[in-house]
Amino acid sequence: MATTTEAKLGQTPGQGANPLVEGLERLPVHPTTLVIFGATGDLARRKLLPAIYNLAHEGALPERFNLIGSSRSEMSHEEFAEQAAEAIRQFSRRPADDQVLKVLLANMRYVAGTFDEDSVYDGLGELLDGFDQEAGQPLNRVFYLSTAPEFFPVIIEQLGNHGLNDHEGSDVRAVIEKPFGTTLEEARELNRRVLSVFAEKQLYRIDHYLGKETVQNLMAFRFANGLFEPVWNRNYIDRVEITAAEDLTIGTRAGYYDRAGALRDLVQNHMLQLLCNVAMEPPVHFEADEIRDEKVKVLRSVLKPTAETVDQIAVRAQYAAGTIGGEAVRGYLQEDGVPSDSNTETYAAIRLEIDNWRWAGVPFYLRTGKSLARKVTEIAITLKPVPHLAFQQEGSVGVRPNQLILTMQPNEGVSLSLGAKIPGTRMRIRPVNMEFLYGTSFMSQSPEAYERLILDAMRGDATLFTRNDEVEAQWEICDPIVQKWEATPGPLPQYEAGTQGPAEADKLLEHGARWRAI
């Protein structure tokens, strides 16, 4: 009979995850030990540990679940557990339940040391074997690399050197955070080194955007509704605009951001994944490899930029001093830690075309930037205008092309604009919106992206993770732009903080189109 706490965690002996947890059903989760490298870092504190707690609170963790943290800081198991509890209380999306937290913390351990030290992996091996002996069975092992990218190959190769890449009687998986390389050459080399230790089926390259409910729901809207598929092609769609705007400066992230820039930080991974979800063909089955096969087809169909075409299809800029939310902010070049002659872009916009039967001739516009007017991530799909505009009476706003807007953040939902008659005696037309909002439609809080992704990694479901050929195909699109920009001296165009971005971005648009207001 399960104890009260076990029932709370959904950990009735002999069962996997609680099948009643909405949004977290499907495959059962085998008893697992999760190892987080970089367990005292910002990502672990703000996202991973709270996500694990929320899974425990929902009863979604397996019957036996253990957590091992590893980082350079010297501390005891108890001190690590207390730090984890503090992070959970501060950053969890729901208030911490002391009873749930107590059970979760009881199975936490810690190994200190740098990631190239043999002693770290010897210590991990002892703890992993100890958990297996305590359970009376081999537990699955998931290694989560929440570290700086330069440690990815070091950790992976050390796991191989110490025989931790395989475990008889259970599955071993490695979860690798972004960025996966900073150039195409680096991505290929990292893939080579990682695949020399782990098989592709063991690898889970994470892109947290794919864990967002709205991103997943894009496929449901496309493939579960007969309304959209007949018009989802070049005959009816005029353009697709994908925006990921932030209203924040880089803050204290200059050390990372000035080496990355907007293109690497968001376009190469998150935004190209959104493009794939819009443009992919329906998979035969909703299984990991079949979905990823369709995404790779899209990426390989994108017309690749060249050194000669970059200036025509890509724009970069930096934010200058301005006002955001009524507060004055400094320009990028005045931020602490940013060189005064930096050529790193804080805004990037590109125009891509997909050379296949469905999308030939339809421009895909991608833009992202810091210190813009507001925070929003959305996909705007604009249909072609009606061929005859008969409604021209005075006072009529006029017929506008229909738009389908899928908003990922901050207000998750879908909006469809239609032309409707304004009440009165005359035929006057104005756009109106049909809206669906997640919060009001489902009356529940969506799980955080990391909750879904961590659980899928433990399940062995790679649907929402990128494959090696997918990563390289993304870099094949972005690498020519990166190389051209790095070879081109500045200064970069400037845009005032708190505005729509640089005027230079307008040159990417075709046929009189205008960017949607941020």
Side-chain angles (χ1 to χ4, degrees):
M1 189 74 175
T3 66
T4 303
T5 303
E6 284 174 331
K8 177 73 173 177
L9 294 173
Q11 294 178 339
T12 304
Q15 295 184 0
N18 185 339
L20 300 179
V21 178
E22 185 176 351
L24 297 175
E25 345 36 38
R26 298 180 305 140
L27 300 175
V29 188
H30 190 277
T32 299
T33 299
L34 174 65
V35 179
I36 300 179
F37 292 98
T40 59
D42 195 56
L43 176 63
R45 292 182 64 252
R46 289 177 175 271
K47 297 294 183 181
L48 305 186
L49 292 169
I52 292 164
Y53 166 78
N54 281 301
L55 290 173
H57 191 282
E58 296 284 3
L61 290 180
E63 176 189 345
R64 289 185 178 274
F65 175 80
N66 312 296
L67 175 65
I68 303 173
S70 181
S71 192
R72 288 178 294 180
S73 304
E74 289 289 341
M75 68 179 80
S76 65
H77 300 315
E78 293 74 19
E79 288 171 328
F80 172 64
E82 183 52 41
Q83 280 197 16
E86 181 183 342
I88 289 166
R89 292 189 182 101
Q90 183 175 359
F91 297 112
S92 171
R93 65 182 173 89
R94 57 160 57 88
D97 181 297
D98 289 339
Q99 192 177 22
V100 178
L101 195 56
K102 180 180 178 181
V103 175
L104 184 63
L105 298 177
N107 293 318
M108 284 192 185
R109 302 291 185 270
Y110 183 78
V111 177
T114 58
F115 300 131
D116 58 351
E117 291 180 15
D118 291 336
S119 60
V120 170
Y121 303 89
D122 292 337
L124 284 177
E126 291 176 9
L127 287 174
L128 289 165
D129 290 341
F131 281 131
D132 286 355
Q133 292 170 10
E134 182 181 322
Q137 63 175 317
L139 307 181
N140 282 358
R141 298 173 177 183
V142 177
F143 298 101
Y144 197 119
L145 278 60
S146 174
T147 68
E150 57 263 30
F151 296 118
F152 295 166
V154 175
I155 294 170
I156 291 292
E157 289 169 358
Q158 282 283 49
L159 289 171
N161 293 340
H162 289 79
L164 297 175
N165 58 328
D166 191 25
H167 186 45
E168 186 175 355
S170 68
D171 293 325
V172 179
R173 305 181 182 109
V175 180
I176 303 178
E177 270 288 345
K178 78 173 190 76
F180 200 87
T182 62
T183 64
L184 175 61
E185 183 180 354
E186 282 187 20
R188 284 173 173 164
E189 175 62 14
L190 182 54
N191 266 331
R192 185 193 64 79
R193 294 176 70 174
V194 168
L195 290 169
S196 70
V197 178
F198 286 94
E200 177 61 38
K201 67 180 181 179
Q202 294 178 280
L203 295 171
Y204 293 74
R205 299 170 188 82
I206 200 165
D207 184 336
H208 73 269
Y209 260 49
L210 297 184
K212 292 180 179 292
E213 282 292 327
T214 328
V215 175
Q216 298 169 53
N217 212 33
L218 176 55
M219 285 194 286
F221 266 86
R222 281 197 59 193
F223 304 134
N225 296 287
L227 174 67
F228 297 118
E229 181 58 27
V231 300
W232 210 264
N233 55 62
R234 59 189 172 87
N235 295 323
Y236 295 95
I237 291 180
D238 182 71
R239 65 185 184 274
V240 178
E241 189 178 324
I242 303 174
T243 299
E246 296 186 38
D247 58 358
L248 299 176
T249 67
I250 61 163
T252 60
R253 298 178 67 215
Y256 161 74
Y257 198 88
D258 200 60
R259 295 195 307 270
L263 189 77
R264 287 188 176 105
D265 191 42
L266 275 171
V267 175
Q268 184 274 329
N269 37 71
H270 302 330
M271 300 190 76
L272 286 179
Q273 284 293 325
L274 295 180
L275 179 147
C276 287
N277 280 341
V278 171
M280 65 186 281
E281 296 297 323
V284 177
H285 302 100
F286 274 84
E287 296 176 356
D289 276 335
E290 296 198 22
I291 290 173
R292 296 189 292 184
D293 287 344
E294 297 301 335
K295 289 183 177 181
V296 171
K297 288 178 186 177
V298 171
L299 294 168
R300 288 178 175 166
S301 299
V302 172
L303 293 176
K304 304 300 184 291
T306 66
E308 292 72 30
T309 63
V310 166
D311 290 341
Q312 285 75 52
I313 65 150
V315 166
R316 58 176 173 162
Q318 293 172 337
Y319 65 82
T323 302
I324 301 176
E327 295 186 6
V329 298
R330 294 180 293 185
Y332 180 71
L333 297 179
Q334 288 76 53
E335 297 282 13
D336 295 337
V338 175
S340 59
D341 60 348
S342 172
N343 282 339
T344 299
E345 76 284 356
T346 63
Y347 178 100
I350 61 175
R351 183 182 70 243
L352 298 175
E353 292 190 21
I354 300 172
D355 190 21
N356 63 18
W357 184 264
R358 183 184 290 267
W359 295 109
V362 178
F364 283 71
Y365 300 107
L366 283 63
R367 61 171 171 169
T368 182
K370 295 281 190 183
S371 292
L372 294 171
R374 67 184 178 105
K375 179 183 179 68
V376 62
T377 301
E378 69 175 22
I379 300 169
I381 297 161
T382 303
L383 275 66
K384 291 184 176 180
V386 294
H388 176 59
L389 301 181
F391 308 103
Q392 301 292 339
Q393 291 198 27
E394 184 179 351
S396 175
V397 176
V399 177
R400 304 287 177 85
N402 302 121
Q403 280 192 323
L404 179 66
I405 312 298
L406 300 107
T407 305
M408 283 73 197
Q409 58 183 11
N411 300 314
E412 297 180 328
V414 181
S415 173
L416 177 63
S417 71
L418 303 170
K421 178 184 176 295
I422 301 173
T425 58
R426 293 183 295 167
M427 182 58 74
R428 296 179 300 168
I429 305 298
R430 56 161 287 187
V432 296
N433 290 331
M434 295 177 62
E435 292 190 326
F436 151 65
L437 298 175
Y438 280 81
T440 56
S441 294
F442 294 115
M443 302 301 291
S444 64
Q445 188 179 33
S446 297
E448 289 285 343
Y450 278 101
E451 295 173 33
R452 172 66 184 271
L453 295 172
I454 289 171
L455 195 64
D456 278 0
M458 291 195 292
R459 282 192 180 113
D461 184 348
T463 303
L464 301 179
F465 297 84
T466 51
R467 203 168 56 192
N468 61 333
D469 54 347
E470 196 175 347
V471 170
E472 292 180 16
Q474 290 173 182
W475 271 116
E476 286 170 1
I477 295 169
C478 290
D479 202 54
I481 303 174
V482 169
Q483 301 301 331
K484 177 66 180 289
W485 284 356
E486 289 186 344
T488 304
L492 271 57
Q494 304 285 299
Y495 61 96
E496 184 180 341
T499 63
Q500 298 290 311
E504 287 81 357
D506 293 343
K507 75 178 186 180
L508 300 181
L509 301 174
E510 298 176 327
H511 311 305
R514 300 177 61 183
W515 292 105
R516 271 179 56 81
I518 294 174

